[in-house]
């Protein structure tokens, strides 16, 4: 365990101060990241937090004028002069002086070193659980006691040192930075999609809670996270978090920057700084295993593309590829990020597929109250975004509407199938009547012929053996293109194949088979082609789209794994929807508890007397009709 050098910056790096442009901050970070030594988390968090808070919390200083502040009486606004120099036209933000940053940096080191006496722990070479817990206590006990959950701009050490406030991520980052001050290089952040903890020890395998999530969970600090992983909670991503290196931790503090000034206004300078720093980290390879940061960078690129850089769509796809390759497809947000991008660009079919893929990722978890963030995400998709898509697509009569696309219907069912399976085995139900009404309204938009075109199976299959939805092979599509491209000189056999497909579609739609293939194919049709046409007519048993008859054989195949959606199979494919029955089935409390609580004491005795298994949870009350 070596001592850290008090000279946090080299002389060349100090010459970049005062920081007043995005370019100067990027140069500073680039220089620090190129060092052979590890970057100082406390220093970089203070610098980034200072810029963010200056530009977002005191946004009216940018013009160098007086700030208007409402008094308590709300009668007359009073004015106070802010002691911040005006921003010059050629600068991006007010000057950030090195003495200001250095004072805060020295203060943080003093707080940690004066509060933690390592001699009491035997001066260990690697961090122990007791040391990590002590650093966590130091940070926790110096926070203000006022409640400020979900406030913005509280994730940096600048917020901690100037206002004694930190959010969930900020506490975890401060603990890691504090351990770095003490000389422990084995303590690193572990990041799920809505939580953070630390990993430490000689082999880096030990885990410890150091922050809270929601209300009343502070007593978990110092405990391992095994319980959350075993409970199959999304909050702990099945033990597949982003385990950070020191450089990935720098990426996490940059990715956590919040450019928002108000709910509807962002700081252009902060967003530009975040985007530029993420590209520096991307080029250095520090985002290669960080899906969330890739998604944030893609969002920024969508708003303001950087010349010469890859398209934001490639970044969204890259985040998904990383989540699948490195984290066993246990991360959900890469899919919702991509789905949001498709939705904003009116690529509704692609958006439905991305949302269905997100539901595939969530289906392996059990829902708990701590998963409220991802619950709200799916609730917004189901009750706001998808209904809006249906409204837009149903307002016209386009032949290419997704309402006429059976694959889109399959994506929709796969989305709800994932949500239902997420609910199975959970102590808390997910679906209620607020979910059922939008689903029924959405399904009713699809014609019965489109719904029946999806081949639905409810057989029990493993995740490895069968994907959630199998797309049809591409060979018929190629054949269709080949026929269309040679429509002027097609042979009699090609005429038979195309004509039989049209005939099958027409006879199925009309409900009668009184038309002769020869009527469509002409007198020059050969006997073999006629036989082939009759055979094609006989085996065709489902509705086909008149606009693209060659796609009739391309039926999407869907495997429903949840008990609720499997029970809805016949209702979903019926010609006339029974909306009341669908609502009841969807909102019925799940009776297939996979991990129900064990009965103990008197409950177990009663269960044995009644012939029930004491290891199974008590049956839920039947729903009143």
């Amino acid at each position: 365990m070596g001592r850290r050098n008090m000279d946090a910056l080299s002389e060349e790096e100090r010459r970049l101060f005062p920081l007043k442009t995005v370019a100067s901050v990027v140069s500073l970070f680039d220089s620090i990241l190129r060092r052979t030594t590890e970057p100082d988390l406390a220093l970089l968090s203070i610098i980034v937090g200072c810029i963010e808070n200056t530009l977002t919390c005191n946004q009216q200083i940018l013009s160098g004028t007086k700030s208007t502040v409402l008094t308590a009486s709300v009668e007359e606004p009073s004015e106070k002069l802010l002691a911040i120099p005006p921003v010059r036209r050629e600068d991006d933000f007010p000057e950030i002086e090195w003495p200001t940053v250095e004072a805060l940096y020295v203060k943080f080191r003093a707080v940690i070193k004066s509060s933690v006496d390592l001699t009491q722990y035997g001066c260990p070479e690697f961090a122990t659980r007791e040391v990590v817990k002590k650093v966590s206590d130091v940070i926790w006990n110096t926070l203000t006691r006022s409640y400020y959950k979900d406030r913005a701009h509280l994730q940096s050490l600048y917020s901690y040192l100037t206002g004694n406030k930190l959010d969930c991520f900020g506490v975890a980052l401060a603990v890691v930075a504090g351990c770095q001050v003490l000389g422990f290089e084995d303590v690193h952040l572990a990041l799920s999609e809505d939580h953070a903890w630390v990993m430490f020890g000689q082999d880096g395998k030990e885990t410890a809670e150091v922050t809270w999530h929601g209300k009343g969970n502070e007593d978990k600090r110092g405990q391992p996270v095994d319980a959350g992983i075993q409970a199959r909670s999304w909050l702990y991503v099945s033990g597949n978090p982003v385990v950070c290196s020191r450089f990935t931790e720098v990426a996490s503090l940059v990715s956590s920057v919040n450019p928002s000034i108000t709910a509807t206004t962002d700081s252009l300078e902060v967003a530009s700084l975040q985007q530029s720093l993420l590209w520096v980290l991307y080029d250095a390879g520090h985002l290669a295993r960080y899906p969330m940061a890739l998604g944030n960078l893609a969002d920024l690129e969508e708003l303001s593309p950087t010349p010469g850089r890859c398209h934001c769509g490639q970044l969204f796809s890259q985040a998904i590829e990383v989540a699948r390759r490195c984290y066993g497809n246990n991360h959900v947000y890469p899919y919702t990020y991509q789905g949001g991008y498709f939705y904003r660009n009116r690529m509704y079919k692609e958006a439905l597929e991305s949302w269905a893929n997100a539901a595939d990722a969530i289906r392996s978890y059990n829902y708990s109250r701590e998963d409220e963030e991802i619950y709200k995400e799916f609730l917004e998709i189901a009750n706001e975004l998808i209904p809006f898509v249906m409204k837009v697509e149903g307002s016209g009569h386009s032949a290419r509407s997704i309402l006429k696309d059976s694959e889109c219907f399959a994506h929709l069912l796969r989305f709800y199938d994932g949500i239902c399976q997420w609910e199975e085995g959970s102590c808390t139900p997910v679906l209620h009547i607020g979910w059922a009404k939008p689903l029924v309204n959405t399904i009713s938009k699809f014609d019965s012929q489109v719904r029946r075109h999806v081949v639905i199976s409810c057989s029990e299959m493993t995740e490895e053996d069968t994907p959630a939805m199998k797309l049809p092979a591409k060979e018929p599509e190629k054949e269709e293109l080949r026929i269309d491209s040679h429509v002027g000189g097609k042979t009699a056999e090609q005429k038979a194949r195309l004509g039989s497909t049209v005939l099958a579609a027409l006879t199925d739609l009309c409900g009668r088979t009184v038309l002769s293939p020869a009527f469509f194919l002409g007198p020059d049709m050969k006997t073999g082609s006629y036989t082939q046409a009759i055979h094609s007519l006989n085996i065709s048993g489902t509705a086909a789209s008149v606009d693209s008859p060659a796609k009739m054989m391309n039926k999407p195949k869907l495997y429903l794994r949840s008990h609720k959606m499997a029970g809805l199979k016949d209702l979903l494919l019926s010609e006339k929807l029974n909306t009341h029955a669908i609502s009841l089935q969807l909102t019925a409390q799940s009776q297939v508890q996979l991990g129900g609580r064990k009965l103990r004491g008197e409950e177990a005795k009663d269960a044995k007397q009644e012939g029930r298994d004491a290891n199974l949870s008590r049956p839920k009350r039947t729903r009143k009709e």
Side-chain angles (χ1 to χ4, degrees), residues 371-385:
D371 299 338
E372 59 176 330
E373 289 301 319
I374 199 65
Y375 175 87
K376 290 188 290 187
E377 189 86 16
F378 279 115
L379 187 65
E380 180 187 18
I381 292 171
N383 291 8
E384 296 181 26
L385 304 188

Side-chain angles (χ1 to χ4, degrees), residues 541-591:
T542 57
S545 171
V546 178
D547 347 71
S548 52
K551 290 185 179 180
M552 184 189 65
M553 302 305 294
N554 294 353
K555 299 178 182 178
K557 298 179 181 180
L558 177 67
Y559 294 90
L560 297 177
R561 293 183 172 84
S562 71
H563 290 71
K564 281 188 177 181
M565 291 300 291
L568 287 174
K569 175 186 174 183
D570 294 335
L571 292 173
L572 295 170
L573 299 182
S574 62
E575 184 171 355
K576 186 176 181 181
L577 287 175
N578 187 336
T579 57
H580 183 64
I582 293 176
S583 296
L584 286 178
Q585 170 75 2
L586 195 68
T587 58
Q589 290 184 344
S590 177
Q591 300 295 320

